[in-house]
Amino acid sequence: MSDQLACHKHGRSDLGYQHWRWQPHDCNLKRWNVTEMWEKLRGKRLMFVGDSLNRGQWISMVCLLQSVIPADKRSMSPNAPLTIFRAEEYNATIEFLWAPLLVDSNSDDPVNHRLDERIMRPDSVLKHSSKWEHADILVFNSYLWWRQGPVKLLWSADENGACEELDGLGAMELAMGAWADWVASKVDPQKKRVFFATMSPTHLWSREWEPGSNGNCYGEKMPIDWEGYWGSGSDMPTMRMVEKVLGRLGSKVSVLNITQLSEYRKDGHPSIYRKFWETLSPEQLSNPKSYSDCIHWCLPGVPDVWNELLFHLL
């Protein structure tokens, strides 16, 4: 469990956020069954590829599955670009690969990636695909890192070339194109399942669900009860671009559409109940408006719902 997501451990006393499940209209999701999920994974590699939100979903999956594996029959590799949970008796792994932009970039170090400028190779996934290509089930995500200003482009053939600059959406479309080319040329849907998770919403401005208020997700204990709610943290042009790219891939990729169901969950974020590198100081704790994390998700919580959806689709 990551200290960044262990909200109860870091002082969150209300636990309602742990117990919601998703009920679609007109159908029922398959109920989570841990042994059935392990049987689906027997002899296979399940790999999550993306940013810290996808890492949260990976942690959720490990937590949902590890309880039935005896302690001496499971292991976790150290935290590196590729982190691996192994279950011996199923000959299976649940893995996470840090690749926040999907393509090769200067943000590919899982620890030292807070850089002044982002530089990516818009035509190359080689560094990452060499690690993900042998997985049997792949769950990709990419969104939040494209929302942080312009990105510099360095084309592969041009080692020291001048970097042109592109806005986040344009750069993401290039990266998604390179990723889609890999899927189109390398994925046989009979042998490999590929999922792409849509954007994970943020809840940074309480005025969006409670007009006139001036807070964020801090102190929120209930989901938004407003069907079709859509906040500013989910960018509709990005959603349309992703839909267009995935549409070209047909049956080679399945969409894990988490955005609308997660939009309601203003109650699910860590806010100040977390530790990121170091524990928040008393001054920071007393200023939740400035120091709340309204991007990531507490565990147990919302990412468990995403994994129930993944289980259903598998």
Side-chain angles (χ1 to χ4, degrees):
M1 171 64 82
S2 160
D3 272 335
Q4 194 180 357
L5 310 176
C7 304
H8 182 49
K9 174 181 171 183
H10 289 97
R12 184 164 178 178
S13 57
D14 67 294
L15 298 180
Y17 68 89
Q18 297 185 359
H19 299 294
W20 291 93
R21 64 184 184 85
W22 178 244
Q23 176 60 54
H25 289 306
D26 308 321
C27 70
N28 291 314
L29 283 180
K30 194 174 170 60
R31 280 199 86 82
W32 174 261
N33 182 310
V34 65
T35 48
E36 192 178 336
M37 185 63 177
W38 273 122
E39 286 302 333
K40 288 179 193 298
L41 296 178
R42 185 180 287 279
K44 291 189 168 69
R45 294 175 64 185
L46 164 61
M47 187 184 293
F48 294 86
V49 180
D51 59 20
S52 56
L53 289 152
N54 222 16
R55 180 166 54 210
Q57 188 176 354
W58 167 74
I59 293 169
S60 158
M61 184 63 87
V62 171
C63 290
L64 287 167
L65 287 172
Q66 57 84 33
S67 60
V68 296
I69 308 295
D72 61 340
K73 301 285 188 192
R74 61 183 192 230
S75 64
M76 182 80 84
S77 75
N79 192 11
L82 182 64
T83 313
I84 304 171
F85 176 85
R86 282 190 174 81
E88 275 180 39
E89 57 195 277
Y90 288 96
N91 185 30
T93 60
I94 309 164
E95 310 179 30
F96 172 71
L97 177 65
W98 174 261
L101 302 180
L102 296 181
V103 292
D104 303 349
S105 78
N106 68 340
S107 302
D108 289 338
D109 187 305
V111 178
N112 299 316
H113 50 247
R114 294 180 171 274
L115 307 166
D116 291 337
E117 59 178 17
R118 289 164 202 274
I119 305 170
M120 71 168 198
R121 295 219 147 151
D123 53 347
S124 176
V125 295
L126 283 174
K127 183 166 55 172
H128 300 312
S129 62
S130 64
K131 298 187 181 80
W132 79 47
E133 64 187 353
H134 300 298
D136 302 282
I137 304 165
L138 283 157
V139 182
F140 292 93
N141 92 319
S142 192
Y143 170 59
L144 210 65
W145 280 57
W146 304 105
R147 306 280 290 160
Q148 301 177 19
V151 183
K152 290 190 169 176
L153 314 181
L154 183 64
W155 298 92
S156 294
D158 202 9
E159 274 294 339
N160 303 307
C163 289
E164 57 181 299
E165 205 166 72
L166 206 54
D167 70 314
L169 178 56
M172 181 179 178
E173 188 162 11
L174 284 178
M176 289 290 296
W179 169 83
D181 289 345
W182 180 88
V183 173
S185 61
K186 303 286 190 186
V187 171
D188 175 353
Q190 302 299 315
K191 296 178 180 169
K192 194 186 292 284
R193 289 293 302 271
V194 176
F195 296 88
F196 191 88
T198 60
M199 60 185 83
S200 171
T202 59
H203 293 90
L204 304 174
W205 319 105
S206 63
R207 60 176 179 265
E208 294 183 359
W209 59 84
E210 190 184 328
S213 63
N214 191 30
N216 50 32
C217 67
Y218 172 72
E220 296 290 350
K221 295 182 169 64
M222 292 291 287
I224 294 168
D225 187 17
W226 172 357
E227 187 161 354
Y229 171 82
W230 192 274
S232 64
S234 300
D235 182 56
M236 202 55 91
T238 302
M239 197 78 162
R240 284 194 285 269
M241 179 274 290
V242 168
E243 185 178 22
K244 184 176 77 177
V245 172
L246 299 181
R248 293 201 300 263
L249 294 170
S251 63
K252 288 178 181 266
V253 64
S254 303
V255 182
L256 196 62
N257 196 339
I258 61 170
T259 307
Q260 182 69 77
L261 69 90
S262 308
E263 278 286 357
Y264 303 118
R265 296 301 308 276
K266 62 179 169 61
D267 60 313
H269 299 286
S271 68
I272 59 171
Y273 303 110
R274 64 190 171 92
K275 176 184 173 186
F276 190 66
W277 302 119
E278 63 254 358
T279 309
L280 292 180
S281 68
E283 292 76 26
Q284 291 171 323
L285 289 170
S286 66
N287 185 6
K289 200 171 166 201
S290 300
Y291 291 99
S292 285
D293 177 353
C294 299
I295 294 171
H296 300 93
W297 302 96
C298 295
L299 288 177
V302 174
D304 302 332
V305 180
W306 304 346
N307 281 323
E308 288 182 353
L309 202 56
L310 179 61
F311 172 65
H312 180 89
L313 293 171
L314 283 170

